Amino acid sequence: MSIEGGNRLYWYETRCRAGEITADGKQSWKMRLACEGEGEKFRSNPRVSIAADGRLVMQNGPVGQARRQTYVRCEIAKKR
């Protein structure tokens, strides 16, 4: 997953735009996603939180069989 512009989320074959982002605790948020993927449009209402180890946890996300994904921030390559 990549996040761009603060409200656009991209996966391999799915892209979403986040709206109505609201706090749901100290380190968690709920949001409404309008998504497109594999020729279909759909909505998702995930809960996103930051785990104690700094990982991003998305519950009820738009991709993945379990609908609970854990993400680790990638290192960004420095420009030469």
Side-chain angles (χ1 to χ4, degrees):
M1 177 183 72
S2 64
I3 301 171
E4 297 178 16
N7 70 337
R8 294 184 305 261
L9 295 88
Y10 297 91
W11 289 267
Y12 179 67
E13 294 181 350
T14 303
R15 61 181 182 256
C16 301
R17 184 173 295 267
E20 295 185 39
I21 301 169
T22 58
D24 186 44
K26 187 174 180 179
Q27 292 281 340
S28 61
W29 302 265
K30 287 185 178 178
M31 64 180 75
R32 293 182 187 267
L33 299 179
C35 304
E36 293 182 35
E38 298 185 13
E40 295 184 26
K41 292 184 178 186
F42 59 96
R43 297 196 178 274
S44 179
N45 297 306
R47 180 176 186 268
V48 178
S49 59
I50 306 297
D53 62 3
R55 294 176 188 237
L56 182 88
V57 178
M58 182 178 287
Q59 298 170 312
N60 196 34
V63 299
Q65 292 180 352
R67 304 279 186 190
R68 183 177 192 272
Q69 304 288 327
T70 302
Y71 299 94
V72 178
R73 183 184 294 261
C74 296
E75 294 294 324
I76 298 174
K78 294 180 182 178
K79 294 183 181 181
R80 295 181 183 202

